[in-house]
Amino acid sequence: MIMNKKNLITTYQNLPPLEKDIVAILSIVYIPITQTQLRSCLVAAKIKTADGRFFDADHRNAMLKVLRPSIELLIKEEIVDKYDHSNFSLNHRLREIAARQAVDEKKFAPFLKAIESTIDIMKPHLDKIQRFQLIAGIRILFYQKKIDQIPDLYNQYKDRTYHVLSLSRIMELICNNPFDPEWFQLISGRTLTEIMREPLMTDMKRWQNNAVNFEYVEKLAAAGSNRCDTQLQAMVLDIWFMIENTDAIQQWLSKQAKTPSENSLCAKASLAFLDGENKQAISTFEKAFPFIQTKGKKSPKIFNHFMGVFYILALFKDSGKKSLQKASKYINQALASETPFKRVYDQLAHVLEYLSGNLSEANQLFGHTYISQSISSYTNCVEMFFQVFAYYWIDTDQAKQQIDPIKKLYAAAHSSSYPWFEHELAGLINALNEKKRKSDPNGSSFLVDLIKKASVWEKSLDILLGIKVESPQEAAKDDEYRMVWFIDHDDDGYCDAKPREQKRKANGQWTKGRPVALKRLHREISTFSYLTPQDKEICSHIYASEYDSGGYTHYEYDFNDSFIFAVIGHPLLFLNDGVTQVELIEGKPELIVQTQKNKDISIKLIPEPELVDSSDYYTIKETPTRIKIFRADTEYNRIAGVIGKELIVPAAAKKKVQAVIDKLAGNITIHSDFGGKSKEWKSVKADSKIHVHLIPSGTGLKLSVFVKPFGSGGAYYPPGTGGKKVIADIKGKKLQTTRDLEKEFQQLDAFIQKCPKLQAFEENSGEWQIENLEDCLELLTELEPIRDQIVLEWPEGQKFKLIADASTHNFQMRIKKQNDWFAASDQSPFIAWLPKGRLKKK
């Protein structure tokens, strides 16, 4: 049975003198030691045995026998703990009591001198020291009252210590075992804050009351002691607000009237906010900004305490355009800072999007967060509190689905005596309860009515009314700048996108663009007024990772692994040449089912599983200007796990393969030598028409050819290659078609025959590169008469560039009317602009 602490202390106080001196030595040593080491310390300290002899009066073994009964007594009384078979140490509940008594009895200094002559407490083992060795060294400085030397010792050894504790935690172990105000007087304000920061912040976040010396710190704060610095003072004020101790706040403010500070102004502003004086609250908070102390000029200026959250709530309540702009700037700075309430500001960032009318951005809260169904002693209740209110403000129905955890959170606030949170949650529960009680004195929640729903839908309608329905060319003129994304795609299936800021030139064309630092898009996104909602969505995937170098904290900014999915469908994507515009579309995996010469059936998955491997996606360049991205989702991984690199089945299994085709065709595209058997799939005639892709390339053009069996929908394929049967879900319709591969070859051959200019250039996998501008113009004139026999496609926004180049080229002299290039409508494709027969032959 373990002895309680009170009885343990009584037993210690009643020990004989020898055993009491042994306890004092063990309290100073702190680290586990052997009987031999203890005997050496007793010898050096000139401590005598019970019969009056020194411990070196006889040989070592004889004196150890004399010492052993004392050790066994101390172990029996639970004063000493056996560390292992040969080492022992003092019970942790007596360490500080015995050390303090040794100081009072003036034994600490001589005993320490004796110990240091026999034991090197800080001696490293393999260039490392144990955690209790570092604590032992810090305790020695503490009880010698050399407090200022403690941080230096800690910093010297912390990187060489196994399982090192924070300095604040070490000081807490020394000072709170048990708490003694007299010893606390030795601690400077800075060290006191280090000791108290962690336990007080833990209490606040978890709605606990475990910081054993909070009452002492409260008295220091209330008295205005300089030992309670501004950080510690702010934490005390935060707790007073959370437990609704407004009397203490008012009394403290009365003593600060003549000397305004960040804390006093924030406390006044918070009281004003909670009293409903919103404008006064905002004004007073902003008067506190000049008092904020930062590490450097570029450090974000935010209130690093809970009262700062009230500032954002006050701006939300006002909900005016200027207030929301202030809230946006502040939240971005908070998210880039080291505030302990960063996650709270992250929740409020979604609420800000809601108030700004960006409902799709706000609704991402529900996909990015999860509300735990249980409340434990480790739950960050403050974060969860603002999360459930964010759910309520953005979508009441989403909050109703979380009523059980909200009730549990309310119970946690009630049992822990955090009444401000308790009352707010009571009001929230009443608001979500369809059968509301007529009156509930505890349900007068202030935050439930903080956000007026009418102001939100009005903003949303205003945004809709402000949208101009214009052609892409006219809409582009509204902004002097735009954000484009340069796509980097490689053969390994990797795809990257880098932001570039383009500026409109005097002639209406855009610059190639300059790179934009991800740090700016992460921390200063509100300064980019021209960003589209999709640009903002892409930027929301930027994160900051911190690392230490040379004693300083540095940050690196990068996109997370899933950002590329946000780029899908963006209208301004370019290759790295800054000229070639491309599409990034989402594709479905493809299943290739082919009958081999021996009649066996081969089943392959595209993209191949070994290419995707551990990645979340894989990309394929479907055409020179079209990149298709495949998600490695659950369905794909399940199929890949079965098929592997290739699955070979016998011909006898054809019916079963057809059943597999029918089963999977809704989720992936099937290429097969034979179709499925299900009647759900509608058969349509395959389109064998040649699709001609034209894209600017260097000083000329690149021409590529494809077929698209399903016409306007589905994937592209090289003419005459691939499976005959194609089964796919096209725009929600279950379709299957049979390609005429021979006809596709004939169509391709006919196309080439009708374009003599192509025959003069070498084909490379269905592509022709034509550099000379005169050759390009002749090719375009050859394409004009056969436009009804082919499908011409080119990157959106690129149809002006070739013409502009041609108009300034020497070939212009071969055109009868110099300005005919610009006579046609801007809505026409550039092929139609070419006047027939105007190009002279050499």
Side-chain angles (χ1 to χ4, degrees):
M1 182 176 177
I2 298 176
M3 190 183 301
N4 66 48
K5 189 167 185 178
K6 185 176 181 181
N7 292 339
L8 188 67
I9 293 172
T10 301
T11 302
Y12 156 68
Q13 296 292 0
N14 292 329
L15 287 174
L18 171 60
E19 283 71 17
K20 226 172 185 181
D21 284 345
I22 290 173
V23 169
I25 287 175
L26 292 177
S27 74
I28 299 169
V29 173
Y30 193 80
I31 65 174
I33 61 173
T34 64
Q35 290 187 56
T36 300
Q37 288 175 312
L38 176 60
R39 171 185 168 271
S40 299
C41 291
L42 295 173
V43 170
K46 301 188 182 304
I47 295 173
K48 296 181 179 180
T49 64
D51 57 4
R53 293 184 296 161
F54 290 109
F55 276 90
D56 58 354
D58 203 342
H59 58 81
R60 184 179 69 89
N61 289 341
M63 299 312 297
L64 285 176
K65 287 183 179 179
V66 174
L67 176 60
R68 192 165 295 121
S70 297
I71 299 298
E72 289 173 352
L73 171 65
L74 294 174
I75 292 174
K76 179 183 176 183
E77 297 294 341
E78 300 180 9
I79 291 172
V80 166
D81 297 327
K82 288 195 72 172
Y83 187 74
D84 55 32
H85 68 282
S86 60
N87 291 271
F88 53 88
S89 61
L90 187 62
N91 187 310
H92 70 279
R93 294 181 292 175
L94 288 174
R95 285 170 181 163
E96 311 313 326
I97 294 173
R100 294 169 191 176
Q101 186 164 343
V103 173
D104 292 341
E105 295 174 356
K106 302 191 184 313
K107 291 183 177 181
F108 190 93
F111 282 5
L112 174 62
K113 185 176 180 181
I115 292 166
E116 289 178 333
S117 68
T118 59
I119 302 174
D120 188 352
I121 293 173
M122 302 293 286
K123 183 179 180 181
H125 173 67
L126 297 178
D127 201 36
K128 285 280 189 179
I129 65 171
Q130 298 294 333
R131 177 175 63 191
F132 39 70
Q133 289 178 277
L134 178 58
I135 297 174
I138 290 174
R139 289 176 74 255
I140 288 169
L141 290 176
F142 179 81
Y143 289 117
Q144 288 180 314
K145 300 185 179 180
K146 297 177 181 179
I147 310 298
D148 294 339
Q149 296 179 27
I150 290 176
D152 292 336
L153 179 71
Y154 179 78
N155 292 328
Q156 179 183 352
Y157 281 95
K158 69 175 181 179
D159 294 330
R160 300 168 58 191
T161 304
Y162 290 107
H163 309 298
V164 65
L165 297 175
S166 65
L167 180 57
S168 62
R169 178 61 180 144
I170 294 173
M171 295 303 294
E172 183 186 358
L173 290 174
I174 298 171
C175 299
N176 285 343
N177 187 21
F179 170 69
D180 186 338
E182 187 174 332
W183 278 100
F184 250 59
Q185 295 295 333
L186 297 175
I187 302 172
S188 66
R190 181 172 69 90
T191 307
L192 182 61
T193 299
E194 285 294 316
I195 294 173
M196 293 303 303
R197 179 189 289 115
E198 191 173 330
L200 288 185
M201 192 57 66
T202 299
D203 271 9
M204 276 191 277
K205 288 181 176 180
R206 299 177 182 173
W207 296 349
Q208 296 172 352
N209 303 290
N210 295 332
V212 294
N213 42 14
F214 175 61
E215 290 183 7
Y216 172 77
V217 175
E218 264 191 314
K219 290 178 182 177
L220 291 180
S225 170
N226 57 11
R227 296 186 61 248
C228 185
D229 68 9
T230 55
Q231 289 184 48
L232 192 54
Q233 194 180 76
M235 284 192 278
V236 172
L237 288 167
D238 282 346
I239 292 177
W240 282 345
F241 274 107
M242 292 178 180
I243 64 176
E244 292 187 343
N245 191 350
T246 52
D247 289 342
I249 297 169
Q250 293 284 14
Q251 291 174 13
W252 180 82
L253 281 172
S254 66
K255 297 177 182 178
Q256 310 292 320
K258 296 182 180 179
T259 54
S261 63
E262 176 193 337
N263 287 344
S264 64
L265 290 168
C266 285
K268 285 181 180 178
S270 299
L271 287 174
F273 169 70
L274 296 173
D275 287 339
E277 302 292 337
N278 208 60
K279 288 185 177 179
Q280 181 184 338
I282 294 172
S283 173
T284 308
F285 271 122
E286 290 170 357
K287 288 177 182 177
F289 275 116
F291 291 91
I292 296 176
Q293 295 182 351
T294 58
K295 294 179 181 179
K297 291 183 179 179
K298 294 185 178 180
S299 300
K301 268 202 167 188
I302 66 159
F303 304 120
N304 202 23
H305 43 67
F306 181 74
M307 291 180 287
V309 176
F310 289 141
Y311 174 55
I312 297 301
L313 297 179
L315 293 172
F316 283 0
K317 186 177 182 182
D318 180 79
S319 76
K321 184 177 180 180
K322 288 186 177 179
S323 290
L324 295 185
Q325 287 175 343
K326 290 177 182 177
S328 176
K329 180 180 178 181
Y330 185 95
I331 288 174
N332 286 334
Q333 289 180 322
L335 293 176
S337 72
E338 298 178 4
T339 173
F341 300 102
K342 185 180 291 188
R343 290 287 298 276
V344 171
Y345 288 112
D346 190 36
Q347 313 287 356
L348 296 179
H350 291 280
V351 180
L352 176 63
E353 295 289 354
Y354 175 76
L355 287 170
S356 303
N358 301 323
L359 302 189
S360 62
E361 297 286 326
N363 286 331
Q364 289 187 22
L365 170 70
F366 308 119
H368 293 169
T369 61
Y370 167 76
I371 295 179
S372 174
Q373 296 295 310
S374 62
I375 307 293
S376 71
S377 59
Y378 296 98
T379 300
N380 191 323
C381 295
V382 173
E383 287 180 9
M384 189 172 175
F385 173 87
F386 282 100
Q387 187 178 353
V388 298
F389 267 97
Y391 271 48
Y392 171 75
W393 288 325
I394 295 173
D395 189 335
T396 304
D397 290 336
Q398 290 280 355
K400 285 180 179 178
Q401 296 176 23
Q402 307 297 333
I403 191 66
D404 288 340
I406 292 173
K407 288 179 178 178
K408 291 175 183 176
L409 191 62
Y410 166 80
H414 176 74
S415 63
S416 301
S417 300
Y418 276 76
W420 185 77
F421 295 106
E422 176 189 351
H423 296 158
E424 295 296 331
L425 288 166
L428 178 59
I429 292 169
N430 283 343
L432 296 175
N433 187 357
E434 295 177 356
K435 298 179 181 179
K436 295 181 182 178
R437 286 168 286 180
K438 291 183 178 180
S439 63
D440 186 346
N442 293 326
S444 55
S445 173
F446 183 76
L447 298 186
V448 163
D449 300 321
L450 182 80
I451 291 176
K452 297 178 181 178
K453 301 287 183 179
S455 65
V456 176
W457 64 254
E458 286 173 355
K459 283 187 176 66
S460 300
L461 290 180
D462 288 341
I463 291 171
L464 291 174
L465 290 172
I467 295 175
K468 297 180 179 180
V469 182
E470 299 173 311
S471 67
Q473 289 78 18
E474 291 170 333
K477 295 178 182 177
D478 291 341
D479 279 313
E480 184 182 0
Y481 294 91
R482 70 180 185 180
M483 188 69 71
V484 302
W485 299 85
F486 278 24
I487 297 294
D488 185 14
H489 169 268
D490 61 31
D491 294 336
D492 293 329
Y494 172 76
C495 193
D496 194 13
K498 294 183 174 62
R500 289 245 181 179
E501 183 181 69
Q502 289 186 334
K503 184 177 181 181
R504 189 186 293 279
K505 295 188 287 190
N507 63 1
Q509 300 295 316
W510 294 94
T511 62
K512 184 175 181 180
R514 62 186 183 89
V516 182
L518 297 188
K519 177 180 179 181
R520 291 185 61 207
L521 290 173
H522 183 65
R523 299 181 62 172
E524 305 166 20
I525 193 168
S526 59
T527 64
F528 294 86
S529 60
Y530 54 84
L531 293 184
T532 67
Q534 188 171 8
D535 289 326
K536 293 179 181 178
E537 165 62 16
I538 297 170
C539 294
S540 71
H541 291 268
I542 300 171
Y543 68 95
S545 57
E546 61 179 67
Y547 64 94
D548 293 328
S549 178
Y552 295 93
T553 300
H554 300 270
Y555 293 88
E556 285 185 346
Y557 296 83
D558 203 352
F559 286 109
N560 62 29
D561 294 338
S562 61
F563 96 98
I564 196 64
F565 298 117
V567 184
I568 293 172
H570 195 287
L572 296 174
L573 305 180
F574 295 87
L575 295 182
N576 285 327
D577 59 12
V579 174
T580 307
Q581 195 161 356
V582 295
E583 292 179 275
L584 181 65
I585 64 168
E586 186 162 8
K588 292 183 177 181
E590 300 180 6
L591 204 65
I592 311 298
V593 181
Q594 291 179 320
T595 303
Q596 299 181 326
K597 290 182 180 179
N598 63 356
K599 304 301 182 180
D600 284 348
I601 300 172
S602 164
I603 304 175
K604 291 183 180 180
L605 186 62
I606 295 178
E608 297 175 19
E610 62 265 28
L611 295 177
V612 179
D613 195 19
S614 60
S615 177
D616 292 331
Y617 69 91
Y618 188 81
T619 59
I620 293 175
K621 204 168 188 180
E622 188 177 42
T623 75
T625 61
R626 185 181 174 98
I627 298 170
K628 186 177 284 188
I629 184 169
F630 301 88
R631 293 178 189 261
D633 56 14
T634 304
E635 186 72 19
Y636 173 87
N637 289 326
R638 284 171 59 192
I639 297 171
V642 175
I643 294 176
K645 187 174 182 179
E646 182 180 19
L647 177 64
I648 303 294
V649 300
K654 182 177 179 179
K655 288 184 178 180
K656 203 162 191 177
V657 172
Q658 287 177 312
V660 169
I661 290 173
D662 291 337
K663 176 74 174 176
L664 298 180
N667 296 318
I668 65 177
T669 299
I670 310 286
H671 301 267
S672 175
D673 293 339
F674 48 85
K677 300 189 72 175
S678 174
K679 294 181 180 179
E680 293 183 16
W681 298 94
K682 181 181 178 181
S683 294
V684 295
K685 186 178 179 180
D687 188 342
S688 301
K689 189 175 287 187
I690 298 298
H691 287 242
V692 178
H693 284 232
L694 289 169
I695 59 172
S697 178
T699 58
L701 283 173
K702 181 185 288 185
L703 182 146
S704 307
V705 290
F706 302 91
V707 293
K708 206 171 186 182
F710 287 109
S712 60
Y716 293 90
Y717 304 98
T721 63
K724 290 182 179 181
K725 287 280 187 180
V726 183
I727 306 173
D729 188 313
I730 306 297
K731 299 180 180 178
K733 296 180 179 180
K734 297 179 177 181
L735 303 178
Q736 62 178 338
T737 190
T738 302
R739 294 172 61 193
D740 188 335
L741 301 182
E742 184 61 32
K743 185 177 179 180
E744 290 177 4
F745 270 127
Q746 292 172 359
Q747 294 273 44
L748 176 60
D749 186 60
F751 165 70
I752 295 173
Q753 292 301 321
K754 292 173 183 178
C755 295
K757 181 52 65 176
L758 279 185
Q759 300 171 34
F761 295 90
E762 183 180 352
E763 176 194 359
N764 181 17
S765 300
E767 289 186 356
W768 288 263
Q769 180 75 39
I770 304 167
E771 298 289 350
N772 186 284
L773 188 55
E774 181 177 7
D775 293 330
C776 292
L777 294 174
E778 291 190 25
L779 172 63
L780 296 178
T781 60
E782 292 174 356
L783 290 174
E784 178 63 22
I786 61 170
R787 288 190 62 196
D788 59 340
Q789 303 168 36
I790 60 174
V791 178
L792 273 172
E793 299 179 359
W794 52 87
E796 181 66 27
Q798 292 295 333
K799 53 190 175 184
F800 305 107
K801 183 169 180 60
L802 182 63
I803 306 310
D805 290 346
S807 67
T808 59
H809 198 278
N810 289 335
F811 301 141
Q812 179 182 354
M813 303 305 295
R814 296 178 178 156
I815 301 170
K816 289 182 180 179
K817 292 183 180 180
Q818 184 173 346
N819 293 323
D820 274 354
W821 292 106
F822 305 97
S825 165
D826 282 359
Q827 299 304 313
S828 303
F830 65 72
I831 303 299
W833 296 359
L834 291 173
K836 294 182 181 179
R838 297 278 179 88
L839 202 66
K840 293 184 178 180
K841 303 292 183 181
K842 287 187 178 179

